[in-house]
Amino acid sequence: MERGAKQKPCFSQWSWSSRKKRSLEMVASDPLQYRITDYWKILSNIEKLSRENEKLSLLLQQAYDASCEPCSHVSFTSILREMICNAEKNCGEYRTHRRHPIILKKFATALFLLAGPLAYEFIHHNMPEALPCVRSIQAAIHSEYKTIHEGTYRFDELREHLDQYGAPRIVSVGEDATRVVGKIEYDSETDRCVGFVLPLNENSLPMVDSFIAVSFSAIENMFQQHSIAKYAYIYMAQPLCNNVPPVCLACLGTNNKFSAENVMPRWKLYQKSVQSEIFLF
């Protein structure tokens, strides 16, 4: 080493691997520490007894078989039991030939709605035989549930919901907003561009047919003349009866810019919803 050069401190002896090695060596040097060789004599005696005693040998073999039986002592829930049975039934089948019971379809639909498409797709990739694929869940949702279009108030659906549960036609309506990622999507079912802030009519209700994709120039004008929604407003109707779930009355995108002149006509129209014979407050 050259004169004047500083010697770098050695930190290897304080590293995690070095400290773990020293702790293992310290434990091994303890005279009271058991070693695997201490059990060889015990195993030899058990092996000798099992050869001489046929009944003991049979009991040991039965205990070993019971310990190797998978999940022999576990009590499964109904959903987990259905998933295991369904995976065994679909094992070896081609993916288009797999069938799933109704209870698993309902469970998968709830999981898809609560966790989201990406989380459900990750779970399905790890259990492809037990749960239906994402396309099957999306097809079931579109076939069994009505699509909620932006800016459309679902008074008729609310009336049918109240009649189905036998609830009185008196509900409490509340609204709330949440921040969303502003982007524009094309709805092939209604031929609309969804994601712009809908203009309001004289009753301060959104004009749902404002962004119909009739041509490329019309879509270009939408981006140039209208703003993209940054918030989503949800209107929920809660029936005043026990054990009756709420109903989503409407949803729409907005930039959260409004005045009292926009709010009052809308609430007056809610209170005059005579065509649906529903009282709101």
Side-chain angles (χ1 to χ4, degrees):
M1 181 180 296
E2 297 181 359
R3 182 179 298 177
K6 296 183 179 179
Q7 184 178 2
K8 295 182 179 180
C10 181
F11 296 102
S12 60
Q13 59 179 342
W14 303 110
S15 62
W16 180 84
S17 58
S18 299
R19 288 186 283 110
K20 183 179 180 181
K21 181 179 179 180
R22 288 197 302 270
S23 62
L24 292 176
E25 291 176 350
M26 186 181 301
V27 172
S29 61
D30 188 356
L32 300 178
Q33 176 66 31
Y34 289 100
R35 292 174 174 78
I36 191 172
T37 55
D38 298 337
Y39 298 95
W40 288 358
K41 185 177 180 180
I42 300 175
L43 292 174
S44 300
N45 295 334
I46 294 176
E47 185 178 1
K48 181 180 179 181
L49 290 173
S50 64
R51 286 198 306 265
E52 296 176 353
N53 193 328
E54 183 178 355
K55 186 176 181 180
L56 178 60
S57 177
L58 181 61
L59 291 175
L60 291 175
Q61 184 64 36
Q62 291 177 355
Y64 175 77
D65 295 339
S67 64
C68 294
E69 185 178 352
C71 302
S72 59
H73 60 284
V74 179
S75 59
F76 297 111
T77 61
S78 58
I79 292 295
L80 185 56
R81 189 182 299 108
E82 288 287 342
M83 292 174 61
I84 294 175
C85 296
N86 192 48
E88 293 177 352
K89 183 177 63 176
N90 291 327
C91 185
E93 295 286 345
Y94 192 63
R95 60 183 180 180
T96 57
H97 297 163
R98 296 168 184 167
R99 298 295 180 265
H100 308 278
I102 298 178
I103 185 174
L104 284 185
K105 289 182 179 179
K106 292 183 177 181
F107 172 76
T109 303
L111 182 62
F112 179 85
L113 295 176
L114 293 174
L118 294 178
Y120 182 82
E121 189 174 2
F122 174 78
I123 297 174
H124 174 262
H125 279 322
N126 288 274
M127 298 183 294
E129 295 87 3
L131 295 174
C133 62
V134 176
R135 287 188 176 182
S136 299
I137 297 299
Q138 291 175 342
I141 292 175
H142 288 294
S143 62
E144 297 183 8
Y145 299 94
K146 294 183 179 180
T147 304
I148 301 177
H149 300 293
E150 182 186 12
T152 303
Y153 288 82
R154 308 165 66 239
F155 289 108
D156 294 335
E157 288 80 358
L158 176 58
R159 185 177 64 252
E160 294 175 359
H161 179 78
L162 296 176
D163 294 341
Q164 179 183 357
Y165 284 90
R169 294 186 176 180
I170 302 177
V171 297
S172 175
V173 178
E175 65 176 9
D176 195 8
T178 181
R179 179 82 179 191
V180 295
V181 178
K183 64 178 181 179
I184 306 301
E185 294 183 351
Y186 173 72
D187 186 5
S188 59
E189 186 176 351
T190 59
D191 195 24
R192 301 173 186 166
C193 292
V194 181
F196 293 105
V197 178
L198 293 173
L200 304 178
N201 57 15
E202 64 276 4
N203 293 321
S204 296
L205 294 180
M207 302 170 63
V208 297
D209 295 330
S210 300
F211 301 106
I212 299 178
V214 294
S215 62
F216 288 104
S217 59
I219 296 176
E220 185 179 3
N221 292 332
M222 295 177 192
F223 281 92
Q224 293 176 353
Q225 300 177 6
H226 298 275
S227 58
I228 299 176
K230 298 180 180 180
Y231 297 86
Y233 263 85
I234 305 296
Y235 299 88
M236 298 296 296
Q238 176 62 58
L240 302 183
C241 187
N242 294 330
N243 301 324
V244 180
V247 178
C248 181
L249 188 61
C251 63
L252 68 148
T254 178
N255 54 4
N256 208 27
K257 295 180 180 180
F258 56 89
S259 61
E261 298 176 355
N262 303 128
V263 176
M264 294 306 298
R266 185 183 303 173
W267 280 102
K268 290 181 180 179
L269 185 65
Y270 292 163
Q271 296 174 354
K272 295 179 181 179
S273 55
V274 182
Q275 71 278 4
S276 59
E277 299 178 358
I278 299 175
F279 299 94
L280 305 102
F281 64 90

